Amino acid sequence: MRGACFAQDLSIPAVNSSKSMNPEKSDYTPSSEAPVAQADQAGTPSTPANGAPAPGPLTEERVREELKTVVDPEIGIDMVSLGLIYGVRIEGSTVFVTMTLTSPGCPVAAMFISAVHTALMSIPGVTDAKVDLTFAPPWDPRTMASEEAKMMMGIYY
């Protein structure tokens, strides 16, 4: 199986997002954001109407949710489900991500890393993001991809 190794063409909006990687071609406007639900009776913010986590403390779960907007265009599956994210560390308002690619010879690795960095910087409260690339261990979709991603790729064992 051949796999692409970048998130998306810069002119194509991210999946499940109104953000475009190319600001010149973006149709994103603040009014196109999904409405945020009001706080419940206890004053605790509830989940926005679109089901995304409400803005709040910076957590690994929030980072991974944002990284799900970075999709491999050839495989059509997000990088989290593919198992390309090896680690997330948060220190204050800085996020550190360790990731890999579907292939060490990826010709668009820099574009893929840039898309990850852009996704991280779009998270409210993030002031800096560091993306480290590693090939240890090598990516193996049979053991690293989610069950749903394996089914989508035709891996049935």
Side-chain angles (χ1 to χ4, degrees), residues 19-90:
K19 294 174 259 179
S20 171
M21 298 305 294
N22 184 347
E24 295 177 351
K25 295 185 179 184
S26 176
D27 58 357
Y28 172 79
T29 60
S31 62
S32 68
E33 292 258 342
V36 176
Q38 298 298 317
D40 62 20
Q41 291 178 350
T44 306
S46 58
T47 303
N50 66 357
L58 190 55
T59 63
E60 180 177 343
E61 180 181 336
R62 174 67 180 100
V63 170
R64 287 184 181 272
E65 282 300 312
E66 188 64 33
L67 291 175
K68 287 181 180 179
T69 65
V70 182
V71 175
D72 183 302
E74 187 174 65
I75 299 174
I77 302 171
D78 70 88
M79 64 180 310
V80 173
S81 296
L82 285 172
L84 298 175
I85 301 298
Y86 285 178
V88 173
R89 189 175 87 239
I90 301 167

Side-chain angles (χ1 to χ4, degrees), residues 44-152:
T44 306
S46 58
T47 303
N50 66 357
L58 190 55
T59 63
E60 180 177 343
E61 180 181 336
R62 174 67 180 100
V63 170
R64 287 184 181 272
E65 282 300 312
E66 188 64 33
L67 291 175
K68 287 181 180 179
T69 65
V70 182
V71 175
D72 183 302
E74 187 174 65
I75 299 174
I77 302 171
D78 70 88
M79 64 180 310
V80 173
S81 296
L82 285 172
L84 298 175
I85 301 298
Y86 285 178
V88 173
R89 189 175 87 239
I90 301 167
E91 292 181 9
S93 61
T94 302
V95 178
F96 299 85
V97 169
T98 303
M99 61 170 282
T100 194
L101 302 171
T102 58
S103 166
C106 179
V108 292
M111 191 181 341
F112 193 39
I113 293 167
S114 177
V116 170
H117 186 270
T118 300
L120 295 172
M121 292 303 294
S122 74
I123 301 171
V126 173
T127 59
D128 195 16
K130 308 287 186 198
V131 180
D132 292 319
L133 186 62
T134 185
F135 294 101
W139 180 70
D140 182 352
R142 297 169 296 175
T143 59
M144 296 176 174
S146 69
E147 291 301 315
E148 181 181 17
K150 288 180 201 176
M151 293 294 284
M152 293 173 72

